[in-house]
Amino acid sequence: FRLAFSSWAIALEYHAETEDKYVTPALSNCQPVGSSEAERVKTAMAVLDEVQHRELVGKMEGVLTVLDEEIGKTSVIVRTKQHLYGQVVALRIAQEDHLETEEALVLPTLRQRLSEQQQLEVAKHLLIDEEAQEACWMLDWIAKELTPGEKNLLADLEARFNRLPR
């Protein structure tokens, strides 16, 4: 469990850090045309606010606390298992809420305000970790959960990344 959780936590942490580094500035540079669009950009930026990322980190720490303090003892009581389960479910719900809100508010704003090349560059940063020894670890991590058709779409996206100017 600890190994699977660590993989998930690293991916969440990378997502949050990369979002703060590349998506938030891209939104900040969007020049809204009217007041309703200005409000949408403002809302999208609030979604990416550090508060949501701190909430995700806090929930990750909750799971780690249970793992560090309770798991590993010679016998794990049912209540500890329930506590761990509750922490993991809370983190998963927070993650899903965050991603759904981004999909509803942030992505449409980026699609409208950024060129296709700029969108690809942001997506590339989110999916390829240039600083890691294995730059494509996030793509590999995501691909494990995809259908064959979705894997083909991801491979097509990666090929488009490779065609971006350096």
Side-chain angles (χ1 to χ4, degrees), residues 6 8-9 20 25 28 31 34 40 43 57 71 82 90 105 112 115 117 120-121 128-129 134 141 152 159 164:
S6 293
W8 179 27
D20 289 342
S28 298
Q31 298 301 317
R40 189 170 59 245
T43 302
V57 169
I71 307 297
Q82 291 170 338
L105 297 171
Q112 288 178 343
S115 70
Q117 181 175 331
L120 281 169
E121 288 169 356
I128 297 179
D129 184 356
E134 280 291 323
W141 186 78
N152 289 336
L164 284 171

Side-chain angles (χ1 to χ4, degrees), residues 1-158:
F1 175 82
R2 187 181 290 272
L3 183 61
F5 177 76
S6 293
S7 175
W8 179 27
I10 289 167
L12 273 174
E13 210 170 300
Y14 176 77
H15 173 82
E17 288 173 5
T18 305
E19 217 170 56
D20 289 342
K21 189 173 180 180
Y22 296 101
V23 179
T24 303
L27 279 173
S28 298
N29 293 332
C30 289
Q31 298 301 317
V33 185
S35 62
S36 65
E37 189 174 353
E39 190 59 36
R40 189 170 59 245
V41 170
K42 183 179 172 186
T43 302
M45 289 184 66
V47 167
L48 293 175
D49 190 355
E50 228 178 272
V51 173
Q52 281 196 335
H53 293 159
R54 279 195 310 249
E55 178 187 2
L56 288 172
V57 169
K59 292 195 181 309
M60 276 191 276
E61 288 171 354
V63 174
L64 289 171
T65 298
V66 174
L67 286 173
D68 291 340
E69 293 176 5
E70 300 296 331
I71 307 297
K73 294 180 179 177
T74 52
S75 65
V76 179
I77 61 172
V78 172
R79 184 162 173 82
T80 300
K81 290 178 186 177
Q82 291 170 338
H83 188 194
L84 178 60
Y85 180 76
Q87 295 291 323
V88 169
V89 168
L91 175 58
R92 181 61 186 234
I93 290 169
Q95 173 193 331
E96 291 300 319
D97 287 349
H98 178 73
L99 295 175
E100 286 174 6
T101 304
E102 283 180 354
E103 190 174 329
L105 297 171
V106 176
L107 295 181
T109 302
L110 291 175
R111 275 188 213 108
Q112 288 178 343
R113 305 306 299 161
L114 298 180
S115 70
E116 183 177 340
Q117 181 175 331
Q118 290 170 315
Q119 291 175 49
L120 281 169
E121 288 169 356
V122 169
K124 182 179 179 181
H125 288 297
L126 287 167
L127 296 171
I128 297 179
D129 184 356
E130 298 290 345
E131 296 175 12
Q133 190 171 0
E134 280 291 323
C136 293
W137 71 267
M138 181 61 98
L139 287 170
D140 296 340
W141 186 78
I142 290 169
K144 287 188 250 178
E145 301 297 321
L146 300 179
T147 65
E150 292 168 332
K151 286 179 183 179
N152 289 336
L153 289 172
L154 189 62
D156 291 344
L157 182 61
E158 188 176 4

